[in-house]
Amino acid sequence: QVQLVESGGGSVQAGGSLRLSCAAFGDFDPFGNNDNSNFMAWFRQAPGNDREGVAAIVISRTHTYYADSVKGRFTISQDYAKKMTYLQMNSLKPDDTATYYCAAGRDLTQARGTIRLNRVDAWGKGTLVTVSS
């Protein structure tokens, strides 16, 4: 059973920072040498909005991708050996308030300042980030 488990969400004031973590468990091995996922990514969804891609990283590589809305403020990284993916969020704004989801997938595309995983193989259950003004 594939599992992605997020942690690190919470409440913070505008201008503050949070670090989200995503751990991969189970038979599914997005960090393994196989034909499955080749990206780990973070998405977010605010109430009433669609889920949107925030950042992505090529598994076992350093290539990273960001939505324009977070570029320069958020940093995605991974610990390949520990099967962990992180999202460092700095200079947080109230507009960053959302539930953040970790995902493993493939076929990433970028358009009009957004990023998209066209095939998602696994989702986490999400962690809530609240930024107050």
Side-chain angles (χ1 to χ4, degrees):
Q1 187 72 20
V2 174
Q3 274 194 316
L4 298 176
V5 180
E6 305 95 336
S7 60
S11 297
V12 64
Q13 289 191 327
S17 298
L18 283 174
R19 188 195 195 205
L20 306 183
S21 299
C22 172
F25 298 95
D27 295 336
F28 181 68
D29 184 5
F31 294 88
N33 183 20
N34 53 45
D35 293 329
N36 292 333
S37 303
N38 49 17
F39 292 93
M40 293 298 295
W42 288 95
F43 289 73
R44 68 184 181 187
Q45 187 168 20
N49 290 357
D50 293 335
R51 192 170 295 189
E52 62 174 353
V54 173
I57 187 168
V58 179
I59 292 172
S60 77
R61 299 289 185 268
T62 58
H63 304 298
T64 56
Y65 305 83
Y66 297 95
D68 282 357
S69 58
V70 305
K71 200 172 293 183
R73 301 187 298 121
F74 290 11
T75 303
I76 188 170
S77 62
Q78 64 183 317
D79 185 326
Y80 181 81
K82 295 181 179 180
K83 299 182 183 179
M84 294 292 297
T85 305
Y86 306 99
L87 186 68
Q88 178 66 43
M89 305 185 295
N90 298 329
S91 301
L92 283 161
K93 306 174 182 179
D95 285 349
D96 295 318
T97 295
T99 298
Y100 284 71
Y101 299 89
C102 178
R106 63 193 92 178
D107 188 17
L108 182 141
T109 55
Q110 295 177 280
R112 297 183 296 277
T114 66
I115 61 172
R116 177 176 177 176
L117 271 183
N118 294 298
R119 179 167 177 173
V120 176
D121 298 306
W123 287 103
K125 293 184 177 181
T127 184
L128 179 63
V129 171
T130 303
V131 184
S132 58
S133 57

